[in-house]
């Protein structure tokens, strides 16, 4: 039977991962469905319940960034939502997506490649400075279409760009730029609903030296 204790800051702080285990769950004795997952490097509060017949276990927050009292209070709210058929994880994703849409709506040129590139970088908060630097260097190769509306970038644009970059900088550089372009377009498709298709993925042999 799973261990149950009252999850307080003091108890959580003292809990350690048993030898031989990669993770272990400890359940709160006061609030059913509220628990703590202890991993090799972190301790994370979570809740678990059924939502529309499916068991889900969204995260509440990582200790000590969130304390046990605040975590238990938030867990109660989440469990009530889950009883109503609301998955907190889906709700969180929807709120995040709406914030991105609101941010894009404030831009005058929301659907230009440059605006979407900057918005994508801002949304990817976990990117390291080195990765961002690499993205920006690759984006320089897209200068000829940087001010284009994302929906106007065609399969032929992609083929021509890849050929040009491959000639100047080699296939490895060209492929890297195409991956960045594809990421921007997928970000746009997810957050503003366009274009209908990703023209980079529409080029079967984009990573080769021949084009169809």
């Amino acid at each position: 039977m799973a261990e149950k204790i009252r999850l307080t800051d003091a108890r959580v702080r003292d809990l350690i991962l048993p030898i031989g285990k990669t993770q272990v769950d400890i359940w709160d004795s006061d609030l059913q469905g509220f628990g703590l997952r202890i991993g090799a490097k972190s301790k994370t509060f979570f809740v678990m319940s059924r939502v529309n017949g499916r068991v889900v276990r969204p995260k509440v927050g990582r200790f000590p960034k969130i304390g046990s009292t605040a975590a238990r209070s938030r867990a109660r709210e989440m469990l009530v939502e889950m009883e109503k058929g609301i998955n907190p994880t889906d709700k969180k994703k929807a709120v995040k997506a709406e914030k991105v849409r609101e941010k894009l709506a404030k831009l005058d040129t929301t659907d230009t490649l440059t605006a979407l590139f900057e918005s994508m970088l801002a949304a990817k908060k976990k990117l390291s400075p080195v990765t961002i630097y690499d993205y920006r260097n690759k984006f320089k190769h897209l200068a000829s279409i940087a001010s284009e509306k994302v929906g106007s970038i065609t399969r032929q644009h992609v083929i021509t760009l890849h050929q040009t970059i491959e000639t100047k900088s080699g296939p490895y550089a060209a492929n890297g730029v195409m991956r960045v372009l594809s990421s921007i377009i997928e970000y746009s498709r997810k957050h503003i609903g366009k274009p209908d298709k990703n023209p980079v993925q529409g080029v079967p042999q984009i990573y080769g030296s021949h084009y169809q």
Side-chain angles (χ1 to χ4, degrees), residues 104 107 109-120 139 146 187:
L104 286 171
L107 298 173
T109 53
T110 58
D111 55 348
T112 65
L113 195 66
T114 296
L116 286 161
F117 175 63
E118 294 298 336
S119 179
M120 183 184 77
F139 189 76
Y187 176 84

Side-chain angles (χ1 to χ4, degrees), residues 41-109:
K41 297 182 178 180
S42 64
K43 298 174 181 178
T44 305
F45 294 109
F46 66 89
V47 291
M48 187 169 76
S49 186
R50 288 185 178 276
V51 177
N52 300 321
R54 183 169 63 93
V55 175
V56 294
R57 50 176 306 153
K59 296 178 182 178
V60 177
R62 182 173 292 187
F63 181 84
K65 187 173 182 179
I66 184 172
S68 58
T69 300
R72 183 178 286 102
S73 177
R74 175 60 184 140
R76 285 196 180 93
E77 295 174 357
M78 292 169 71
L79 288 167
V80 169
E81 290 179 340
M82 293 163 81
E83 287 179 3
K84 295 178 180 178
I86 301 171
N87 187 335
T89 301
D90 293 341
K91 181 180 178 181
K92 184 177 180 180
K93 289 179 180 178
V95 170
K96 184 176 181 180
E98 181 59 30
K99 287 182 179 179
V100 172
R101 282 192 292 270
E102 288 176 356
K103 182 176 181 179
L104 286 171
K106 294 177 181 178
L107 298 173
D108 293 331
T109 53

Side-chain angles (χ1 to χ4, degrees), residues 28-40:
D28 186 59
S29 58
D30 289 358
L31 180 60
Q32 185 175 354
F34 175 48
L36 176 79
R37 170 159 289 184
I38 304 174

Side-chain angles (χ1 to χ4, degrees), residues 93-173:
K93 289 179 180 178
V95 170
K96 184 176 181 180
E98 181 59 30
K99 287 182 179 179
V100 172
R101 282 192 292 270
E102 288 176 356
K103 182 176 181 179
L104 286 171
K106 294 177 181 178
L107 298 173
D108 293 331
T109 53
T110 58
D111 55 348
T112 65
L113 195 66
T114 296
L116 286 161
F117 175 63
E118 294 298 336
S119 179
M120 183 184 77
L121 290 185
K124 293 179 178 290
K125 296 181 179 179
K126 292 184 179 181
L127 290 179
S128 69
V130 173
T131 300
I132 292 175
Y133 178 80
D134 181 59
Y135 271 44
R136 291 195 179 282
N137 269 344
K138 287 182 170 63
F139 189 76
K140 290 176 182 178
H141 289 281
L142 300 173
S144 63
I145 60 170
S147 60
E148 295 284 340
K149 303 286 187 179
V150 69
S152 69
I153 298 172
T154 65
R155 182 175 185 270
Q156 190 56 51
H157 275 125
V158 174
I159 293 174
T160 301
L161 272 168
H162 191 279
Q163 289 174 328
T164 301
I165 299 168
E166 185 177 19
T167 300
K168 291 182 178 179
S169 306
Y172 180 82

